[in-house]
């Protein structure tokens, strides 16, 4: 299937994970030493990492299915209503009468700093037995949360068995979001095609830059790269500093953050990043660094609006989504003579401030000129 085919006939993205509920309240300034505080605004919303990723993907235009455990409790009927309204397929979800996990997010009015009070209650999770009932031929990409390592491992093995013997274009791509309990999911990393590691997790492991995070993940893989076995691409979103990424063959790229005009809502921006990367890599068939740059742009755009519905107005077209990166293997011998100049130009591009071009009041456009990126040297600062 070519990159120019209709999105409507592409295989679906399957998001495996939990659906939760958030109560978001905005106050003038968080002071938890006081007995009472006055809130300016508050609202209830569906949340959960896989749930948010599926929402953002659907708004960007991808076919999406959510696979998880949903509640029948009538108090939380808004979860089902919202999923159905957005056209997210939940036909293979399982159901329980239990209440879903619940979080309270306290957001300061001016700084937009968020304090999350998370209820980490026990809640059923989908099993490999449930996953085995799916027709995997329907999916082109499966995104997992780093939850329930045993069940997730079995589900990934089912996908790897499905991919065995198939052409590259017919294989299911596997991605994994790591956001907590890092030590428990280390063994899952080598089974995936793409791994997202958050800044919080990276810093908890002593990796203080995106480059160190990518190298740290790479060092955990048991087999050296020279053996040519399956290795994941690593993506390390780094908040306002942008994101770093490393290809399966060890090339490192660092993409600067886009400049936000105004920060209104930080809730869910990391899930928008993940969804935008999947959209660019799978639907638009872009290479790793270009997909990360697009994800930076979408995450930055979301910061200026409350919720995810703003993504309907994000302008996406083949010009604004950068062209594919020229692979290292595609560089001819004639190009090698100019390698130093190209690398210097690349570094200058990567670390320059990013600006948005004005199109209209509701859209943000990325640079319309074609961009060719080259790897950043390993020793460079991030």
């Amino acid at each position: 299937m070519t990159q120019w085919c209709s999105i409507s006939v592409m295989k679906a993205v399957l998001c495996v994970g939990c659906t939760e509920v958030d109560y978001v309240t905005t106050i003038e300034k968080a002071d938890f030493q006081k007995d009472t505080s006055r809130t300016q605004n508050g609202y209830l919303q569906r949340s959960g990492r896989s749930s948010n990723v599926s929402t953002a993907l659907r708004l960007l235009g991808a076919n999406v299915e959510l696979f998880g455990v949903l509640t029948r409790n009538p108090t939380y009927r808004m979860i089902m209503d919202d999923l159905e309204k957005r056209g997210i397929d939940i036909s293979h979800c399982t159901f329980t009468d239990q209440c879903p996990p619940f979080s309270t997010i306290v957001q300061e009015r001016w700084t937009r700093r968020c304090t999350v009070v998370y209820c980490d209650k026990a809640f059923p999770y989908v099993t490999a037995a449930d996953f085995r009932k799916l027709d995997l031929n329907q999916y082109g990409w499966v995104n997992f949360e780093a939850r329930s390592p045993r069940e997730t491992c079995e589900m990934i093995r089912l996908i790897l068995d499905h991919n065995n013997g198939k052409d590259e274009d017919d294989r299911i791509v596997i991605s994994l979001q790591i956001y907590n309990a890092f030590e428990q999911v280390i063994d899952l990393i080598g089974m995936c095609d793409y791994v997202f590691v958050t800044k919080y997790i990276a810093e908890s492991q002593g990796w203080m830059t995106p480059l160190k995070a990518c190298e740290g993940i790479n060092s955990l893989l048991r087999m050296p790269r020279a053996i040519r076995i399956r290795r994941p691409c690593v993506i390390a979103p780094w908040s306002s500093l942008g994101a770093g990424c490393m290809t399966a063959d060890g090339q490192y790229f660092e993409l600067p953050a886009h400049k936000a005009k105004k920060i209104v809502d930080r809730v869910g921006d990391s899930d928008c990043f993940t969804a935008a990367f999947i959209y660019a890599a799978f639907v638009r068939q872009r290479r790793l660094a270009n997909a990360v740059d697009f994800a930076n742009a979408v995450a930055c755009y979301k910061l200026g609006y409350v919720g995810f519905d703003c993504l309907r107005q994000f302008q996406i077209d083949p010009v604004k989504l950068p062209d594919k990166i020229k692979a290292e293997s595609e560089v001819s011998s004639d190009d090698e003579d100019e390698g130093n100049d190209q690398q210097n130009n690349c570094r200058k591009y990567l670390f320059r401030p990013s600006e948005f071009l004005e199109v209209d009041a509701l859209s943000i456009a990325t640079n319309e000129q074609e961009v060719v990126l080259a790897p950043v040297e390993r020793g460079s600062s991030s």
Side-chain angles (χ1 to χ4, degrees), residues 202-217:
E203 290 180 341
S204 71
Q205 299 299 310
W207 305 326
M208 307 310 291
T209 67
L211 174 59
K212 293 297 183 183
C214 292
E215 290 179 336
I217 293 291

Side-chain angles (χ1 to χ4, degrees), residues 131-355:
F131 192 85
R132 197 182 297 272
K133 300 174 185 177
L134 301 178
D135 179 7
L136 294 181
N137 291 307
Q138 298 180 34
Y139 312 111
W141 190 299
V142 179
N143 181 63
F144 291 95
E145 294 181 25
R147 291 179 184 261
S148 188
R150 183 183 297 274
E151 295 295 339
T152 300
C153 179
E154 290 301 317
M155 287 186 267
I156 293 177
R157 288 187 184 280
L158 289 172
I159 297 176
L160 296 179
D161 290 342
H162 171 83
N163 288 343
N164 190 26
K166 286 186 167 55
D167 294 335
E168 190 68 29
D169 293 340
D170 296 326
R171 294 177 183 174
I172 297 173
V173 181
I174 305 169
S175 59
L176 179 71
Q177 293 178 266
I178 303 177
Y179 54 92
N180 60 12
F182 181 75
E183 290 77 10
Q184 299 178 20
V185 298
I186 289 177
D187 291 336
L188 299 179
I189 294 174
M191 303 172 70
C192 303
D193 298 293
Y194 296 92
V195 173
F196 300 89
V197 56
T198 64
K199 180 182 178 183
Y200 170 77
I201 286 294
E203 290 180 341
S204 71
Q205 299 299 310
W207 305 326
M208 307 310 291
T209 67
L211 174 59
K212 293 297 183 183
C214 292
E215 290 179 336
I217 293 291
N218 178 68
S219 67
L220 295 174
L221 301 176
R222 296 178 180 177
M223 295 294 183
R225 185 172 283 110
I227 296 182
R228 296 283 182 181
I229 63 169
R230 180 189 188 90
R231 300 181 75 87
C233 298
V234 182
I235 302 102
W238 217 258
S239 187
S240 60
L241 297 182
C245 58
M246 183 176 286
T247 65
D249 58 5
Q251 294 183 9
Y252 177 75
F253 301 89
E254 194 159 300
L255 290 306
H258 290 251
K259 184 178 178 181
K261 292 182 178 180
K262 185 179 181 181
I263 297 177
V264 175
D265 180 23
R266 294 182 182 273
V267 178
D269 59 330
S270 62
D271 297 324
C272 279
F273 178 95
T274 301
F277 176 86
I278 294 173
Y279 175 84
F282 176 56
V283 178
R284 295 301 181 100
Q285 296 290 295
R286 292 316 191 231
R287 293 187 186 272
L288 180 66
N290 285 140
V292 170
D293 186 55
F294 179 74
N296 278 340
V298 173
C300 177
Y301 180 72
K302 181 265 173 288
L303 291 175
Y305 300 88
V306 175
F308 300 105
D309 287 327
C310 61
L311 299 183
R312 295 183 187 276
Q313 282 77 46
F314 188 82
Q315 299 296 308
I316 302 172
D317 57 50
V319 175
K320 294 168 188 172
L321 194 64
D323 200 359
K324 293 183 179 181
I325 304 171
K326 190 174 185 180
E328 185 178 22
S329 61
E330 297 171 355
V331 178
S332 65
S333 59
D334 295 336
D335 294 335
E336 292 178 356
D337 297 334
E338 302 177 0
N340 292 333
D341 292 338
Q342 290 177 354
Q343 194 171 52
N344 291 334
N345 291 336
C346 169
R347 190 178 295 106
K348 180 179 179 181
Y349 166 75
L350 287 176
F351 292 99
R352 73 182 183 185
S354 296
E355 298 288 339

Side-chain angles (χ1 to χ4, degrees), residues 35-60:
D35 293 334
T36 60
S37 296
R38 185 179 297 275
T39 179
Q40 274 99 26
N41 188 25
Y43 57 90
L44 197 68
Q45 67 177 16
R46 172 175 57 86
S47 67
R49 291 191 176 270
S50 290
S51 180
N52 288 343
V53 170
S54 63
T55 297
L57 273 167
R58 191 71 189 109
L59 289 168
L60 289 171

Side-chain angles (χ1 to χ4, degrees), residues 4 16 28 41-42 49 51 63 80 90 103-104 110 149 156-158 167 213 218 236 280 337 356 367:
W4 308 112
V16 181
E28 193 74 22
N41 188 25
R49 291 191 176 270
S51 180
N63 293 327
M80 300 284 293
I90 56 173
S103 298
T104 299
W110 299 112
I156 293 177
R157 288 187 184 280
L158 289 172
D167 294 335
N218 178 68
D337 297 334
F356 287 114
N367 197 331

Side-chain angles (χ1 to χ4, degrees), residues 368-380:
E368 294 186 1
Q369 296 181 350
E370 179 179 334
V371 176
V372 178
L373 302 180
V376 175
E377 288 184 348
R378 284 298 187 85
S380 61

